[in-house]
Amino acid sequence: ASRFALSGSAYLYTILAFGELPALTVGLNLLVDYHVGAATISRSMAVYFVKMVDGWGLNLPRALGNYELNEAINISMLSPIFLLLFTLILIRGVQESKWTNLVLTSLKIFIVLLVVFGGAAKVDTENWNDFVPEGASSIFSATSAVFFSYIGFDVVANAAEEASKPSRDVPIGVVLSLVICAVLYCLVSLILTGIVPYEDISKSAPLSDALSKAGVQWGQQAINIGATIGLGTTLLTGMYAQSRLYLSIARDGLLPEILQRVSGSLRVPVYAQIWCGILAAILATFFDVEALARILSIGIMLAYSVVCWSMLSFRSNHNRRTLGLVGIYAALVLGMSVSLSLSSLLPWYLPVLLATAALLTWIPIFRERFDSASPRGTYRCPLVPGIPLLGLGANIFMATQLHWAAWLRLGVVCLVVFALYLWRAWGLRNTMEPQEDGDRAHMYERLNLPVADAEGKAIPVTPSIMISHDPRQLGLDKDSVETYGVARSEGSIGGSPEVARPGSGYGVNVL
């Protein structure tokens, strides 16, 4: 995200590493998770809002938060209202939504710390004697169920184009928020399991019920307020990221052009933001949380897996042999994970053999070179290829723990993507001239552009996609910008000087 300071996050990295079709697959699966997530969060927010207002003595009908019409449809009247409100805030611009998010997040953290310190005195350490009562496998299955919460870090990456200094701000934002969230999550989990034995934890309102049982009378209302505010900030940032992802995909011509239009005065993709609000409101009005949650997380797991793969691609200078070995490793991990899930039907030694084979692929992978330099001043992931390989393996393993409906959803979205892409390719078959060859450097030579950066290192370019580069990464000095026709356009949404994108930032486009 610090190297490519543009909106798009995982979609952007995939299109630069692997091309349009994989990127569109990742992007649309991400968008499905974002939309379903927004609907799920707004439904939960509506329920907690009703409880919060009840705690103040204003008895609202519970049906406003969740009214069961029949077994298939549950109607929520408050959810679309919240989505409309946040859509209007986001349309007003980044500054307004930034301050709204800052105030709500500060209140949320204050309430979380209040709960932690208020409940710490009521902890019974004997509840921790059997610390993993259901075994290690339960940790992975539970993690896969709540994996969608990690989409927040994708939101930070999506904001790169609007960061004042993305090479510095984005890594700090991602790493610092990850550490803070991990610490708070562990503290709250310890307090909860320390107050109440794990088998007695309420499924509907775990924290508020636990604090009430412990005699912390103010705890229930504090949790209701904190949950309402916390879900509100999550909804706000998630809807923000959705519109930027639509903007990024539409810029590349893979979605309707109207979704990339940016308001001249507000610098916001207004049409994309409105579309996000409408779609999420429809889902939130008619479908309950349980039904929506079953198909969550698979999209973000796919995206994060491809991000790990993309990093290995960039750091190996797009070495095909390296990427092939990583593909074999991913296939073996998938086979091992599936065989573990079906262990009662398959020989016990099959997952052991597949796990061993997956680990053996690390030997040739580690012998490859991963020292392809990033531009100066940008963040470099340490311990490559170890960290990307661990991330890829963990994502694949946890994906196999998801509900079958999530995999069905993934398959349907992928089929839709392939159909749309084939339709697009058919429509363009007579409008594009064939390339003389697919060599990356050849495309630069056709435009009379340098094929190396300022340090003399080759600039990798993905064939068959439209990309852009900062003139400084192309080795162009300030005086050369005008010569090559590189100019800042009015299509960007952020104030970052490092933006480089078709229709936004610098206009050196390579087709």
Side-chain angles (χ1 to χ4, degrees):
S2 63
R3 180 176 182 179
F4 305 109
L6 306 166
S7 297
S9 63
Y11 162 80
L12 172 65
Y13 319 143
T14 308
I15 200 170
L16 293 176
F18 303 117
E20 281 183 349
L21 183 56
L24 188 59
T25 304
V26 168
L28 291 189
N29 272 288
L30 258 180
L31 284 171
V32 170
D33 265 15
Y34 269 121
H35 289 310
V36 174
T40 304
I41 292 166
S42 63
R43 293 284 301 221
S44 298
M45 184 180 176
V47 173
Y48 274 108
F49 179 80
V50 172
K51 290 182 179 180
M52 179 184 71
V53 174
D54 285 351
W56 289 333
L58 302 174
N59 296 320
L60 291 178
R62 298 267 175 172
L64 288 176
N66 185 24
Y67 176 73
E68 185 174 345
L69 189 63
N70 53 50
E71 293 184 0
I73 299 179
N74 288 47
I75 295 178
S76 174
M77 301 302 295
L78 284 177
S79 296
I81 295 175
F82 289 138
L83 289 163
L84 173 63
L85 175 63
F86 286 126
T87 299
L88 293 175
I89 292 173
L90 289 166
I91 288 175
R92 290 294 303 165
V94 174
Q95 289 299 319
E96 285 76 6
S97 56
K98 179 186 74 173
W99 288 111
T100 302
N101 189 46
L102 178 62
V103 172
L104 293 177
T105 301
S106 300
L107 286 172
K108 175 177 65 176
I109 293 177
F110 172 75
I111 291 173
V112 169
L113 293 175
L114 194 65
V115 170
V116 168
F117 288 110
K122 306 293 183 178
V123 167
D124 182 1
T125 55
E126 291 186 1
N127 292 332
W128 296 337
N129 288 341
D130 190 4
F131 203 69
V132 189
E134 301 296 331
S137 61
S138 63
I139 297 176
F140 291 101
S141 59
T143 302
S144 65
V146 299
F147 194 87
F148 178 76
S149 59
Y150 286 88
I151 205 169
F153 306 108
D154 182 73
V155 173
V156 179
N158 254 311
E161 187 168 330
E162 292 163 274
S164 58
K165 189 174 177 56
S167 60
R168 178 201 64 191
D169 298 341
V170 173
I172 292 175
V174 171
V175 175
L176 194 59
S177 61
L178 177 61
V179 172
I180 293 173
C181 289
V183 171
L184 292 177
Y185 182 86
C186 291
L187 288 175
V188 171
S189 299
L190 287 171
I191 294 297
L192 175 61
T193 54
I195 293 176
V196 180
Y198 81 94
E199 63 269 17
D200 296 332
I201 292 175
S202 168
K203 293 182 179 180
S204 58
L207 280 171
S208 59
D209 285 359
L211 290 173
S212 296
K213 289 179 181 178
V216 185
Q217 300 303 326
W218 51 264
Q220 185 169 3
Q221 183 64 357
I223 291 299
N224 291 335
I225 296 172
T228 303
I229 294 173
L231 291 169
T233 58
T234 305
L235 188 59
L236 182 70
T237 54
M239 292 182 68
Y240 163 87
Q242 290 174 48
S243 63
R244 272 55 181 181
L245 186 52
Y246 271 114
L247 170 74
S248 183
I249 300 175
R251 279 172 170 174
D252 293 330
L254 301 176
L255 286 177
E257 182 270 340
I258 193 174
L259 296 175
Q260 69 166 315
R261 295 182 188 175
V262 176
S263 168
S265 58
L266 300 175
R267 317 304 298 163
V268 172
V270 175
Y271 294 104
Q273 196 68 70
I274 293 173
W275 167 248
C276 293
I278 292 173
L279 191 55
I282 294 172
L283 291 173
T285 302
F286 298 106
F287 299 98
D288 67 356
V289 172
E290 185 177 355
L292 293 171
R294 289 175 181 171
I295 61 174
L296 270 176
S297 296
I298 191 74
I300 190 65
M301 286 181 180
L302 171 67
Y304 282 5
S305 298
V306 177
V307 166
C308 293
W309 210 333
S310 300
M311 172 166 296
L312 293 170
S313 178
F314 289 124
R315 292 288 287 270
S316 66
N317 202 20
H318 307 282
N319 186 296
R320 292 185 178 181
R321 180 176 182 274
T322 302
L323 298 180
L325 289 170
V326 175
I328 295 172
Y329 163 74
L332 290 170
V333 171
L334 178 61
M336 177 206 70
S337 304
V338 172
S339 61
L340 279 174
S341 301
L342 303 175
S343 56
S344 59
L345 304 175
L346 299 173
W348 65 267
Y349 54 83
L350 182 60
V352 177
L353 291 176
L354 291 171
T356 304
L359 289 175
L360 288 175
T361 61
W362 282 41
I363 297 175
I365 292 175
F366 269 81
R367 295 180 66 181
E368 300 292 327
R369 295 177 60 88
F370 294 94
D371 55 358
S372 180
S374 300
R376 286 174 293 181
T378 60
Y379 173 82
R380 285 174 59 88
C381 177
L383 303 178
V384 174
I387 288 179
L389 288 174
L390 287 173
L392 178 60
N395 286 328
I396 293 173
F397 178 75
M398 287 188 292
T400 61
Q401 311 298 313
L402 293 172
H403 193 275
W404 62 265
W407 284 94
L408 177 62
R409 194 277 284 170
L410 177 66
V412 169
V413 173
C414 289
L415 287 175
V416 171
V417 169
F418 296 152
L420 289 174
Y421 197 77
L422 287 174
W423 175 78
R424 178 175 177 269
W426 181 262
L428 294 174
R429 70 191 189 282
N430 294 322
T431 63
M432 297 185 67
E433 297 181 2
Q435 297 281 353
E436 295 179 16
D437 60 67
D439 184 74
R440 300 167 188 268
H442 172 69
M443 289 187 287
Y444 275 87
E445 292 169 356
R446 288 179 61 192
L447 296 177
N448 195 29
L449 289 177
V451 295
D453 61 16
E455 297 179 348
K457 295 177 180 176
I459 300 175
V461 181
T462 302
S464 304
I465 64 170
M466 182 176 287
I467 66 169
S468 303
H469 283 282
D470 185 319
R472 290 162 290 183
Q473 294 183 24
L474 288 172
L476 305 181
D477 57 27
K478 184 176 180 181
D479 295 330
S480 301
V481 170
E482 185 176 354
T483 303
Y484 285 106
V486 182
R488 182 72 184 230
S489 75
E490 296 299 323
S492 68
I493 57 175
S496 168
E498 302 181 24
V499 174
R501 188 72 168 177
S504 170
Y506 299 98
V508 179
N509 298 329
V510 180
L511 183 60

